[in-house]
């Protein structure tokens, strides 16, 4: 008899456990993105003039402190926590500022951490659309954070709109303003954001006027949902704009801000007040349009009920006559008369015509 080949030994449970553990892939470590990826521009300004060459966030502040004059302006776009931590270590930023700049979605505010001022601005952009009655979005919002120290200013932007490249170019073309230091950049950014508010409110005003014409037009019916959509966009605009009044008022009174810059900030404050008043007016107008649209719907329902009631009253006459003469009685007036049918039809027609003329005269039909 041939020998039966022996089977391999069965692996023990611990070996199976080790084999399955080896089969599970290990999680891939997250590779941090370099800080330079988030930096849009980094420049050193001395006596209002930008120094030639390219600087990193660390070499720029080292250059300023070695010279003992000038300041650094770093612009970042949507940095993550690792990138912001690298900048914070070089510039001595508080951890709460780092948290706010990374998480975003902050209300406009002004806070001070030791010698560093932290200003949060909400940016807005008007979304172009074909018709205000069919648009899904009218206002798009974002954020800009400004951190101002004695020898640096850091701007962090969230959102794809309201870039600060134009602000930087305008300041570099005006060295006298840059000689005022980092506070001049703070004013320029705030002025740019508030000017954007003015442009958006001008566009919103046209939409409100169009909506008002549509609501009161006799040949158009605007659903109330469209008015609420525009009102919601105005509310979003108000949430972005109105809270900025308190930080601007504090900046105007801030003793660390040069007097010349505070004069410019008063002008920004005046523009912001104008924007806030416009938004309040738009909100009131839209609330009135909602009431007008509801009143128009109620009036239309009343007119429809009048028409329905009028036709029901007219139809009740032949229904009543047919019901009476449909009863199975032998002794009924004009039942066996040759012209009884024609008489009843004529009477019903005359009564119905009389009712129609009465309702039409009273504008029910």
């Amino acid at each position: 008899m041939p020998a039966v080949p022996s089977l391999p030994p069965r692996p023990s449970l611990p070996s199976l456990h080790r084999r399955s553990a080896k089969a599970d892939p290990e999680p891939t470590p997250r590779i941090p993105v370099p800080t330079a990826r988030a930096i849009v521009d980094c420049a050193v300004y001395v006596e209002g003039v930008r120094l030639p060459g390219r600087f990193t966030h660390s070499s720029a502040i080292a250059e300023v402190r070695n010279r003992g004059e000038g300041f650094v302006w770093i612009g970042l776009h949507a940095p993550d926590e690792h990138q912001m931590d690298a900048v914070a270590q070089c510039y001595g930023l508080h951890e709460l500022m780092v948290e706010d700049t990374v998480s975003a979605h902050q209300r406009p505010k002004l806070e001070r951490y030791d010698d560093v001022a932290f200003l949060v601005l909400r940016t807005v952009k008007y979304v172009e659309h074909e018709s205000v009655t069919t648009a899904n979005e009218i206002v798009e919002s974002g954020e800009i954070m400004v951190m101002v120290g004695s020898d640096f200013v850091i701007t962090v932007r969230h959102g794809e709109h309201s870039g600060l490249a134009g602000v930087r170019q305008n300041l570099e073309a005006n060295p006298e303003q840059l000689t005022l230091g980092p506070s001049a950049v703070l004013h320029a950014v705030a002025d740019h954001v508030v000017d954007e508010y003015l442009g958006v409110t001008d566009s919103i005003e046209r939409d409100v006027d169009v909506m008002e014409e549509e609501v009161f037009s006799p040949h158009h019916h605007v659903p109330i949902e469209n008015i609420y959509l525009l009102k919601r966009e105005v509310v979003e605009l108000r949430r972005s704009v109105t809270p900025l009044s308190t930080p601007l008022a504090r900046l105007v009174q801030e003793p660390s801000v040069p007097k010349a810059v505070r004069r410019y900030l008063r002008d920004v404050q005046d523009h912001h007040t104008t924007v806030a008043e416009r938004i309040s007016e738009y909100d009131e107008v839209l609330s009135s349009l909602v009431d007008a649209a509801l009143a128009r719907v109620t009036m239309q329902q009343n007119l429809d009920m009048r028409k329905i009631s009028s036709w029901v009253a007219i139809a009740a006459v032949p229904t009543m006559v047919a019901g009476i003469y449909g009863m199975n009685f032998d002794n009924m007036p004009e039942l066996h008369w040759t012209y009884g049918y024609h008489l009843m039809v004529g009477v019903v027609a005359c009564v119905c015509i009389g009712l129609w003329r009465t309702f039409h005269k009273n504008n029910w039909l």
Side-chain angles (χ1 to χ4, degrees):
M1 180 180 295
V4 179
S6 61
L7 297 174
R10 190 175 178 182
S12 61
L13 289 177
S15 63
L16 285 173
H17 179 71
R18 288 193 300 270
R19 192 173 297 174
S20 62
K22 291 181 181 179
D24 295 336
E26 296 182 358
T28 304
R30 183 175 178 272
I31 301 176
V33 180
T35 306
R37 294 281 186 89
I39 296 178
V40 179
D41 198 355
C42 178
V44 176
Y45 297 93
V46 178
E47 296 182 355
V49 179
R50 178 170 181 163
L51 296 184
R54 302 185 63 179
F55 296 90
T56 63
H57 64 282
S58 56
S59 63
I61 193 64
E63 177 70 20
V64 168
R65 291 174 180 173
N66 288 336
R67 286 175 173 265
E69 59 178 351
F71 68 94
V72 180
W73 181 5
I74 300 178
L76 299 98
H77 179 249
D80 58 21
E81 186 176 359
H82 169 76
Q83 295 167 338
M84 202 62 208
D85 282 338
V87 176
Q89 291 176 4
C90 288
Y91 291 82
L93 304 179
H94 196 276
E95 60 181 3
L96 292 178
M97 281 195 289
V98 175
E99 181 180 352
D100 288 346
T101 53
V102 173
S103 61
H105 303 293
Q106 304 292 322
R107 284 174 56 87
K109 61 181 180 179
L110 175 64
E111 296 179 348
R112 178 166 288 278
Y113 298 89
D114 298 329
D115 295 332
V116 180
F118 180 58
L119 176 65
V120 177
L121 302 163
R122 293 293 298 272
T123 61
V124 293
K125 176 187 176 183
Y126 181 77
V127 180
E128 297 293 340
H129 48 270
E130 294 182 358
S131 173
V132 67
T133 58
T134 58
N136 295 323
E137 186 179 16
I138 298 176
V139 176
E140 179 183 346
S141 60
E143 291 181 48
I144 292 179
M145 289 87 163
V146 185
M147 288 152 278
V148 181
S150 59
D151 53 2
F152 67 86
V153 56
I154 302 172
T155 56
V156 179
R157 180 169 58 90
H158 290 271
E160 299 302 325
H161 63 276
S162 295
L164 299 177
V167 176
R168 189 185 290 266
Q169 292 174 2
N170 292 335
L171 283 175
E172 291 176 356
N174 189 4
E176 292 86 3
Q177 193 169 0
L178 278 175
T179 55
L180 298 175
S183 298
V185 178
L186 174 64
H187 159 261
V189 174
D191 185 56
H192 169 72
V193 171
V194 174
D195 285 345
E196 291 290 327
Y197 292 166
L198 288 171
V200 172
T201 53
D202 289 340
S203 300
I204 291 289
E205 183 176 6
R206 292 194 295 269
D207 287 341
V208 172
D209 292 340
V210 171
M211 184 66 74
E212 189 174 9
E213 293 177 1
E214 293 288 335
V215 169
F216 291 104
S217 176
H219 304 292
H220 292 85
H221 174 69
V222 179
I224 300 179
E225 293 81 4
N226 295 339
I227 307 176
Y228 273 118
L229 172 63
L230 184 56
K231 185 175 176 61
R232 185 190 66 188
E233 297 297 310
V234 171
V235 169
E236 181 179 354
L237 181 61
R238 183 176 61 185
R239 290 175 179 173
S240 300
V241 172
T242 303
L244 186 59
S245 60
T246 302
L248 289 177
R250 289 180 56 190
L251 282 174
V252 171
Q253 303 296 330
E254 184 69 31
S256 61
V257 178
K259 186 176 181 180
V261 177
R262 278 184 284 171
R263 292 174 180 172
Y264 289 112
L265 285 172
R266 290 192 187 97
D267 183 65
V268 176
Q269 188 180 22
D270 291 340
H271 291 171
H272 178 269
T273 302
T274 301
V275 172
E277 291 176 353
R278 287 184 182 181
I279 295 174
S280 298
E281 292 175 1
Y282 302 156
D283 192 24
E284 292 176 2
V285 170
L286 290 174
S287 297
S288 301
L289 290 181
V290 171
D291 296 338
L294 290 174
R296 186 174 180 180
V297 170
T298 303
M299 184 181 298
Q300 185 63 43
Q301 289 177 346
N302 292 335
L303 292 176
D304 293 341
M305 289 301 299
R306 285 182 179 183
K307 292 180 179 180
I308 293 172
S309 301
S310 300
W311 287 115
V312 168
I314 294 173
V317 175
T319 303
M320 180 185 64
V321 174
I324 292 174
Y325 280 89
M327 294 185 294
N328 297 323
F329 293 107
D330 291 332
N331 299 321
M332 293 184 69
E334 316 301 338
L335 185 64
H336 301 287
W337 185 36
T338 304
Y339 300 101
Y341 169 77
H342 302 87
L343 177 63
M344 288 298 101
V345 171
V347 170
V348 168
C350 291
V351 173
C352 290
I353 293 173
L355 288 174
W356 182 87
R357 293 187 63 181
T358 302
F359 291 140
H360 185 72
K361 182 178 180 181
N362 293 327
N363 294 324
W364 281 45
L365 287 176

